[in-house]
Amino acid sequence: DAKTTQPTSMDCAEGRAANLPCNHSTISGNEYVYWYRQIHSQGPQYIIHGLKNNETNEMASLIITEDRKSSTLILPHATLRDTAVYYCIVRGGSNYKLTFGKGTLLTVNP
Amino acid sequence: DVKVTQSSRYLVKRTGEKVFLECVQDMDHENMFWYRQDPGLGLRLIYFSYDVKMKEKGDIPEGYSVSREKKERFSLILESASTNQTSMYLCASSPGQLRETQYFGPGTRLLVL
C-alpha cells in the first residue's frame, strides 16, 4: 500500500471548518483513500473513503486532487467532540488489513 | 448503523491466566478481525475470519487463538497471558469482500500483571 504523510498536529476553533491534509504521492490506480479517527482510548471510527471523486457524507467531505497524490478531509463545523487523532490510509483492492500511521492530532478549541 | 461490541472495556489478568475477549457485530458482516494497538507500533492484525469456522493468521498470531462458531461472534483467546500481551485489543468487522470498509468496536484495554 502507498505511504501517507500527515501533519503531526493541527488546531481548529470550534464552529470553524477543519481541513486535514494528507499526501499519498505513490498511490496507485486501484488504491482507495480512507479516513478514520480515534478519540482517546476508544476504537477507531470510520469517517469516509474515496477513489478519485470527491465524497461527502454526514460526517465529512473528502477532496481528492486530480492527480490523486493528495487529499483533504473537511469537517465543516468542528465541535469539541471532534478532537481526535485522524488517520489517512491508502488501501489497495486486495489488501484486507488496516495499517495506521501516526495520524494528525486535531484539537478543537472553544 | 453498524454496531460492534466488545465484552469488556477494561480487563486486568494475571500472568498464566486464560483470557477470553469477545466481539459481537449486529450487521450480518462476513468478515471479522482482531487487532492490537500499542504506542509506537500502531495497529497490528492478529487473526481474521472470513466465514463461520474459518480463520486466518494475521501478522502476530503467536500466543493467541480465535473462535468463530456463529457469524456474529468472534472470540480472541489468550491461552496463557503474558505481560507482553498488555495492550488495547480492537475488534472490527466488514461486509462482503475482505477489502471492504472495516468498522471497529470500542476496544478492550487489557493489563496483564
Side-chain angles (χ1 to χ4, degrees):
Chain A
D1 287 344
K3 188 180 160 72
T4 62
T5 305
Q6 299 178 253
T8 304
S9 64
M10 294 181 66
D11 284 313
C12 177
E14 189 177 20
R16 305 299 291 266
N19 296 281
L20 292 96
C22 180
N23 285 324
H24 31 79
S25 58
T26 59
I27 193 170
S28 59
N30 67 345
E31 290 181 316
Y32 286 76
V33 180
Y34 278 79
W35 284 84
Y36 282 79
R37 72 179 182 185
Q38 191 168 20
I39 295 166
H40 184 61
S41 290
Q42 295 185 23
Q45 180 185 21
Y46 165 75
I47 302 172
I48 199 166
H49 74 282
L51 184 62
K52 51 185 171 185
N53 297 323
N54 297 339
E55 302 287 345
T56 295
N57 64 18
E58 65 279 2
M59 285 182 71
S61 294
L62 174 61
I63 309 297
I64 303 174
T65 57
E66 199 167 333
D67 63 7
R68 302 209 323 123
K69 293 185 176 182
S70 66
S71 60
T72 301
L73 178 75
I74 302 171
L75 307 178
H77 306 287
T79 71
L80 300 179
R81 285 182 292 184
D82 292 322
T83 292
V85 179
Y86 287 76
Y87 297 101
C88 168
I89 301 147
V90 171
R91 191 159 166 243
S94 62
N95 189 5
Y96 52 82
K97 69 178 174 186
L98 280 177
T99 307
F100 286 0
K102 295 192 185 329
T104 297
L105 172 60
L106 175 70
T107 304
V108 181
N109 300 303
Chain B
D1 264 2
V2 177
K3 187 92 170 164
V4 180
T5 56
Q6 294 183 229
S7 49
S8 307
R9 290 299 310 276
Y10 300 94
L11 214 48
V12 180
K13 295 292 181 182
R14 296 217 172 268
T15 302
E17 277 192 80
K18 192 167 185 174
V19 182
F20 292 88
L21 303 182
E22 230 177 29
C23 175
V24 177
Q25 49 94 5
D26 68 356
M27 288 302 292
D28 202 35
H29 282 178
E30 307 298 323
N31 314 301
M32 296 187 75
F33 306 81
W34 276 106
Y35 293 88
R36 62 179 281 179
Q37 187 177 32
D38 300 285
L41 296 175
L43 209 59
R44 292 181 290 169
L45 181 64
I46 305 171
Y47 267 98
F48 67 99
S49 166
Y50 52 89
D51 200 353
V52 176
K53 296 192 191 294
M54 306 305 288
K55 60 188 179 188
E56 293 284 343
K57 293 179 181 178
D59 295 324
I60 51 161
E62 298 77 21
Y64 303 95
S65 62
V66 290
S67 170
R68 193 161 179 210
E69 296 296 318
K70 292 186 178 181
K71 191 175 186 180
E72 67 270 18
R73 195 175 297 266
F74 192 34
S75 301
L76 180 70
I77 302 140
L78 287 66
E79 296 290 341
S80 176
S82 63
T83 54
N84 63 12
Q85 291 178 312
T86 290
S87 187
M88 169 75 124
Y89 288 89
L90 294 162
C91 175
S93 72
S94 72
Q97 310 264 340
L98 276 169
R99 59 175 172 78
E100 293 195 38
T101 301
Q102 293 180 26
Y103 300 90
F104 285 84
T108 295
R109 192 167 289 281
L110 172 67
L111 173 63
V112 182
L113 300 173

